[in-house]
Amino acid sequence: MATQYGISGATAKGIASSVERGVAEGALGPGAALPPVRRLADELGVSPGTVATAYKELRRRGIVVTRGRGGTVVAAAPSVASRRPPKVPDGLRDLAGGHPDPRLLPHLVPPSRLSPGARSHRSTPRLERLEDAVRDWLRPDGVPTEHVTFAHGALDLIGRLLSVELRPGDAVAMEDPGYHHLLDLVTALGLRTVPVAVDDQGMRPEALRDALRAGVRAVVCSPRAQNPYGGCFSAERRGSLVAVLQEEPDVLVVENDHASAVADAPLHALAAGGLERWVHVRTVSKFLGTDLRWAAAACDPITLARHDGRMLLTSGWVSHLLQETVYELMTDDDTRALVARAQDTYALRRNALRHQLAEQGIPSHSVSGLNVWVPVRDESAVVNGLRSYGWWVAAGARFRIASAPGVRISVAELEPSDAVRLASDFAVVLGESEATYGG
């Protein structure tokens, strides 16, 4: 709590710096409540306006958030501190991480062609052969490929675009439940999240329309393997969403196809719908290797210019050694065969768990991807209950804005035979938690 840390300062800048220092040092943890403005002003002998200005600056920088009557609290992932996932206790089966099965990833071999000497790649930031390979990868799915670019992963690209396109305080439409790192990123940039409800077909059109009417300037979504819900755009849903988005042509649409090659679902891309401002992002970490921090993106020409212009001023380009490695893997027949096997394996494991849960009368969601979302009434009770049976799953609070509770189960390494025991244990835990919940 904030009472355990003495906030100091005689100016707005000093107060903000004191809070930031407390967050960075861990004295003020995520969710810690800051004193009400007037109370802190009295304690420090300053005007309420000075404290309000300090809190406004902290909100702008993504260090704190305001929860209405709940007051001002430290953000779940403040921009001055790194929120690491909780350590998996010894002896538990980790189904919370969302990582691919390492047995289904290719061996990473450094490229034989190394960059000759020290020279700048700013004039040719992208390998032409990798650009061609990316176009060949995207074109069959109907994604326009005239303008493509690279980045150091999806979060790197999305964060750069949002920081260029938007200003602190602007609103972004986000899936709810949605990918927790994206939710954290938007908050850290000082932007506001507007929740958009999802179902098995992804974002719901009426919820998206409400978000657009609320004045969002960008929309971030996943066309398939939606994390954590597992939704996937159908052709009909894609058409409905495009129709809604065309009502606000200036809104930037960011489409994150993060699991592409192993999603086990067809792509119905918003990018193929004739939008004016759009970017379609793909990464390879789920099927080529988690250390390959590389993303490819196709986008409209304005978005390309803004992204590449900002990147030119920072990292400049993506390492050509990394690009060489990605190219060699993407064009290797054995790797392609392994990726195809991974897609089939993940689908088998996902469907096996959902079938076993259904056998126990437990509803779940996931039509694509590596995760299963299970609605529950009490997340903590279920997470702790499954822990007692040797399972470690993710509480849904990390993924939710305003949606109902649930838990996320990552199935990448869950064999079908293990799904039987997990579903049985889940049923027991649900029974125990419902009894406790009901008093």
Side-chain angles (χ1 to χ4, degrees), residues 82-379:
S82 175
R83 180 177 72 171
R84 299 182 183 277
K87 183 179 179 181
V88 180
D90 292 339
L92 297 190
R93 182 76 177 275
D94 183 11
L95 302 179
H99 307 300
D101 187 338
R103 296 168 297 181
L104 295 172
L105 297 175
H107 295 293
L108 299 184
V109 180
S112 57
R113 293 185 294 271
L114 301 180
S115 296
R119 61 186 177 88
S120 172
H121 294 314
R122 291 181 187 273
S123 58
T124 54
R126 295 181 293 275
L127 297 179
E128 184 176 352
R129 56 184 170 278
L130 184 54
E131 281 189 325
D132 292 341
V134 165
R135 289 188 169 93
D136 291 342
W137 187 23
L138 298 175
R139 195 177 295 112
D141 291 318
V143 177
T145 59
E146 183 178 358
H147 305 285
V148 299
T149 191
F150 302 158
H152 301 95
L155 290 172
D156 174 65
L157 184 142
I158 294 171
R160 185 175 296 110
L161 278 177
L162 293 181
S163 67
V164 171
E165 296 277 347
L166 280 64
R167 295 293 177 265
D170 286 345
V172 182
M174 305 290 292
E175 296 166 327
D176 186 21
Y179 183 39
H180 59 292
H181 288 308
L182 275 173
L183 295 175
D184 292 345
L185 174 62
V186 168
T187 300
L189 291 173
L191 305 172
R192 295 184 294 113
T193 58
V194 176
V196 178
V198 301
D199 57 24
D200 291 336
Q201 295 184 58
M203 275 188 165
R204 295 169 54 182
E206 67 275 13
L208 177 59
R209 180 174 279 110
D210 289 343
L212 292 174
R213 287 173 176 170
V216 301
R217 294 193 56 198
V219 176
V220 181
C221 62
S222 298
R224 53 184 171 179
Q226 194 273 344
N227 188 355
Y229 207 85
C232 173
F233 291 165
S234 64
E236 180 181 6
R237 175 61 57 86
R238 189 269 304 273
S240 298
L241 292 173
V242 167
V244 171
L245 290 166
Q246 287 177 336
E247 298 172 7
E248 299 289 344
D250 293 332
V251 170
L252 175 65
V253 178
V254 181
E255 191 170 42
N256 181 19
D257 191 20
H258 66 98
S260 59
V262 290
D264 183 46
L267 177 68
H268 299 288
L270 298 177
L275 301 176
E276 291 191 26
R277 297 298 316 284
W278 61 275
V279 57
H280 179 89
V281 188
R282 286 192 186 178
T283 54
V284 296
S285 58
K286 294 298 184 186
F287 51 91
L288 294 185
T290 53
D291 273 337
L292 294 179
R293 310 311 301 166
W294 174 85
C299 51
D300 68 85
I302 293 176
T303 300
L304 178 82
R306 291 178 178 177
H307 173 272
D308 286 7
R310 177 61 61 88
M311 190 172 190
L312 183 68
L313 297 173
T314 53
S315 59
W317 65 88
V318 175
S319 162
H320 279 202
L321 298 180
L322 176 57
Q323 292 187 50
E324 288 276 12
T325 302
V326 172
Y327 176 78
E328 294 294 339
L329 290 170
M330 287 183 68
T331 57
D332 177 67
D333 289 340
D334 290 339
T335 300
R336 288 174 171 172
L338 180 61
V339 171
R341 182 158 66 89
Q343 179 190 71
D344 294 341
T345 301
Y346 293 145
L348 176 66
R349 293 172 181 174
R350 183 186 69 247
N351 293 332
L353 176 59
R354 294 200 64 203
H355 172 74
Q356 293 301 326
L357 289 170
E359 288 287 302
Q360 297 289 342
I362 302 172
S364 64
H365 298 276
S366 187
V367 295
S368 61
L370 280 64
N371 302 295
V372 171
W373 179 261
V374 185
V376 299
R377 295 177 67 180
D378 188 332
E379 293 176 1

